[in-house]
PDB file of all heavy atoms in Angstrom:
ATOM      1  N   ARG A 126    -101.547   3.264  -8.974  1.00  0.00           N
ATOM      2  CA  ARG A 126    -102.263   4.340  -9.451  1.00  0.00           C
ATOM      3  C   ARG A 126    -103.665   3.947  -9.842  1.00  0.00           C
ATOM      4  O   ARG A 126    -103.917   2.759 -10.214  1.00  0.00           O
ATOM      5  CB  ARG A 126    -101.528   4.909 -10.775  1.00  0.00           C
ATOM      6  CG  ARG A 126    -100.127   5.352 -10.615  1.00  0.00           C
ATOM      7  CD  ARG A 126     -99.645   5.685 -11.944  1.00  0.00           C
ATOM      8  NE  ARG A 126     -98.220   5.953 -11.802  1.00  0.00           N
ATOM      9  CZ  ARG A 126     -97.546   6.810 -12.608  1.00  0.00           C
ATOM     10  NH1 ARG A 126     -98.172   7.569 -13.392  1.00  0.00           N
ATOM     11  NH2 ARG A 126     -96.254   6.966 -12.420  1.00  0.00           N
ATOM     12  N   ILE A 127    -104.560   4.890  -9.692  1.00  0.00           N
ATOM     13  CA  ILE A 127    -105.918   4.725 -10.092  1.00  0.00           C
ATOM     14  C   ILE A 127    -106.348   5.870 -10.939  1.00  0.00           C
ATOM     15  O   ILE A 127    -105.761   6.916 -10.941  1.00  0.00           O
ATOM     16  CB  ILE A 127    -106.894   4.484  -8.881  1.00  0.00           C
ATOM     17  CG1 ILE A 127    -106.886   5.646  -7.920  1.00  0.00           C
ATOM     18  CG2 ILE A 127    -106.575   3.177  -8.179  1.00  0.00           C
ATOM     19  CD1 ILE A 127    -107.736   5.506  -6.806  1.00  0.00           C
ATOM     20  N   PRO A 128    -107.408   5.657 -11.794  1.00  0.00           N
ATOM     21  CA  PRO A 128    -107.930   6.757 -12.617  1.00  0.00           C
ATOM     22  C   PRO A 128    -108.419   7.893 -11.798  1.00  0.00           C
ATOM     23  O   PRO A 128    -108.831   7.715 -10.657  1.00  0.00           O
ATOM     24  CB  PRO A 128    -109.093   6.142 -13.451  1.00  0.00           C
ATOM     25  CG  PRO A 128    -109.147   4.710 -13.026  1.00  0.00           C
ATOM     26  CD  PRO A 128    -108.192   4.380 -11.906  1.00  0.00           C
ATOM     27  N   PRO A 129    -108.468   9.133 -12.498  1.00  0.00           N
ATOM     28  CA  PRO A 129    -109.090  10.328 -11.854  1.00  0.00           C
ATOM     29  C   PRO A 129    -110.551  10.017 -11.435  1.00  0.00           C
ATOM     30  O   PRO A 129    -111.200   9.184 -12.011  1.00  0.00           O
ATOM     31  CB  PRO A 129    -109.002  11.478 -12.863  1.00  0.00           C
ATOM     32  CG  PRO A 129    -107.958  10.939 -13.883  1.00  0.00           C
ATOM     33  CD  PRO A 129    -107.977   9.367 -13.832  1.00  0.00           C
ATOM     34  N   ARG A 130    -110.903  10.748 -10.367  1.00  0.00           N
ATOM     35  CA  ARG A 130    -112.335  10.556 -10.026  1.00  0.00           C
ATOM     36  C   ARG A 130    -113.236  11.022 -11.159  1.00  0.00           C
ATOM     37  O   ARG A 130    -112.941  12.071 -11.727  1.00  0.00           O
ATOM     38  CB  ARG A 130    -112.547  11.475  -8.784  1.00  0.00           C
ATOM     39  CG  ARG A 130    -113.896  11.582  -8.167  1.00  0.00           C
ATOM     40  CD  ARG A 130    -113.937  12.494  -7.042  1.00  0.00           C
ATOM     41  NE  ARG A 130    -113.332  11.649  -5.853  1.00  0.00           N
ATOM     42  CZ  ARG A 130    -114.216  10.994  -5.022  1.00  0.00           C
ATOM     43  NH1 ARG A 130    -115.536  11.245  -5.131  1.00  0.00           N
ATOM     44  NH2 ARG A 130    -113.778  10.441  -3.999  1.00  0.00           N
ATOM     45  N   PRO A 131    -114.302  10.367 -11.360  1.00  0.00           N
ATOM     46  CA  PRO A 131    -115.254  10.872 -12.499  1.00  0.00           C
ATOM     47  C   PRO A 131    -115.954  12.094 -11.973  1.00  0.00           C
ATOM     48  O   PRO A 131    -116.183  12.282 -10.780  1.00  0.00           O
ATOM     49  CB  PRO A 131    -116.247   9.632 -12.541  1.00  0.00           C
ATOM     50  CG  PRO A 131    -116.119   8.823 -11.404  1.00  0.00           C
ATOM     51  CD  PRO A 131    -114.777   9.073 -10.811  1.00  0.00           C
ATOM     52  N   PRO A 132    -116.256  12.876 -12.955  1.00  0.00           N
ATOM     53  CA  PRO A 132    -116.991  14.150 -12.610  1.00  0.00           C
ATOM     54  C   PRO A 132    -118.309  13.884 -11.977  1.00  0.00           C
ATOM     55  O   PRO A 132    -119.061  12.891 -12.287  1.00  0.00           O
ATOM     56  CB  PRO A 132    -117.134  14.899 -13.949  1.00  0.00           C
ATOM     57  CG  PRO A 132    -116.960  13.821 -15.050  1.00  0.00           C
ATOM     58  CD  PRO A 132    -116.198  12.759 -14.428  1.00  0.00           C
ATOM     59  N   ARG A 133    -118.719  14.847 -11.094  1.00  0.00           N
ATOM     60  CA  ARG A 133    -120.030  14.632 -10.449  1.00  0.00           C
ATOM     61  C   ARG A 133    -121.170  14.800 -11.559  1.00  0.00           C
ATOM     62  O   ARG A 133    -121.061  15.709 -12.383  1.00  0.00           O
ATOM     63  CB  ARG A 133    -120.263  15.756  -9.404  1.00  0.00           C
ATOM     64  CG  ARG A 133    -119.381  15.423  -8.159  1.00  0.00           C
ATOM     65  CD  ARG A 133    -119.666  16.349  -7.237  1.00  0.00           C
ATOM     66  NE  ARG A 133    -120.889  15.946  -6.464  1.00  0.00           N
ATOM     67  CZ  ARG A 133    -121.277  16.253  -5.277  1.00  0.00           C
ATOM     68  NH1 ARG A 133    -120.556  16.971  -4.504  1.00  0.00           N
ATOM     69  NH2 ARG A 133    -122.338  15.791  -4.801  1.00  0.00           N
ATOM     70  N   ARG A 134    -122.231  14.073 -11.405  1.00  0.00           N
ATOM     71  CA  ARG A 134    -123.354  14.239 -12.228  1.00  0.00           C
ATOM     72  C   ARG A 134    -124.272  15.380 -11.740  1.00  0.00           C
ATOM     73  O   ARG A 134    -124.345  15.575 -10.564  1.00  0.00           O
ATOM     74  CB  ARG A 134    -124.178  12.986 -12.286  1.00  0.00           C
ATOM     75  CG  ARG A 134    -123.429  11.813 -12.915  1.00  0.00           C
ATOM     76  CD  ARG A 134    -124.416  10.722 -13.153  1.00  0.00           C
ATOM     77  NE  ARG A 134    -123.878   9.460 -12.809  1.00  0.00           N
ATOM     78  CZ  ARG A 134    -124.504   8.377 -12.778  1.00  0.00           C
ATOM     79  NH1 ARG A 134    -125.824   8.306 -13.005  1.00  0.00           N
ATOM     80  NH2 ARG A 134    -123.931   7.171 -12.430  1.00  0.00           N
ATOM     81  N   LEU A 135    -124.906  15.998 -12.645  1.00  0.00           N
ATOM     82  CA  LEU A 135    -125.932  16.992 -12.349  1.00  0.00           C
ATOM     83  C   LEU A 135    -127.127  16.305 -11.739  1.00  0.00           C
ATOM     84  O   LEU A 135    -127.469  15.216 -12.036  1.00  0.00           O
ATOM     85  CB  LEU A 135    -126.404  17.834 -13.565  1.00  0.00           C
ATOM     86  CG  LEU A 135    -125.286  18.629 -14.216  1.00  0.00           C
ATOM     87  CD1 LEU A 135    -125.831  19.239 -15.508  1.00  0.00           C
ATOM     88  CD2 LEU A 135    -124.849  19.748 -13.287  1.00  0.00           C
ATOM     89  N   PRO A 136    -127.757  17.012 -10.710  1.00  0.00           N
ATOM     90  CA  PRO A 136    -128.985  16.419 -10.080  1.00  0.00           C
ATOM     91  C   PRO A 136    -129.979  16.187 -11.255  1.00  0.00           C
ATOM     92  O   PRO A 136    -130.163  16.968 -12.197  1.00  0.00           O
ATOM     93  CB  PRO A 136    -129.356  17.425  -9.057  1.00  0.00           C
ATOM     94  CG  PRO A 136    -128.490  18.486  -9.113  1.00  0.00           C
ATOM     95  CD  PRO A 136    -127.458  18.311 -10.180  1.00  0.00           C
ATOM     96  N   ARG A 137    -130.825  15.165 -11.023  1.00  0.00           N
ATOM     97  CA  ARG A 137    -131.915  14.881 -11.989  1.00  0.00           C
ATOM     98  C   ARG A 137    -132.921  15.867 -11.865  1.00  0.00           C
ATOM     99  O   ARG A 137    -133.345  16.239 -10.712  1.00  0.00           O
ATOM    100  CB  ARG A 137    -132.477  13.482 -11.753  1.00  0.00           C
ATOM    101  CG  ARG A 137    -131.487  12.417 -12.104  1.00  0.00           C
ATOM    102  CD  ARG A 137    -132.184  11.060 -11.990  1.00  0.00           C
ATOM    103  NE  ARG A 137    -131.191   9.980 -12.300  1.00  0.00           N
ATOM    104  CZ  ARG A 137    -131.636   8.774 -12.623  1.00  0.00           C
ATOM    105  NH1 ARG A 137    -132.925   8.520 -12.811  1.00  0.00           N
ATOM    106  NH2 ARG A 137    -130.680   7.945 -12.982  1.00  0.00           N
TER     107      ARG A 137
END
Side-chain angles (χ1 to χ4, degrees):
R126 295 178 193 214
I127 57 176
R130 176 179 280 263
R133 290 187 76 157
R134 291 192 224 172
L135 294 173
R137 291 185 180 204

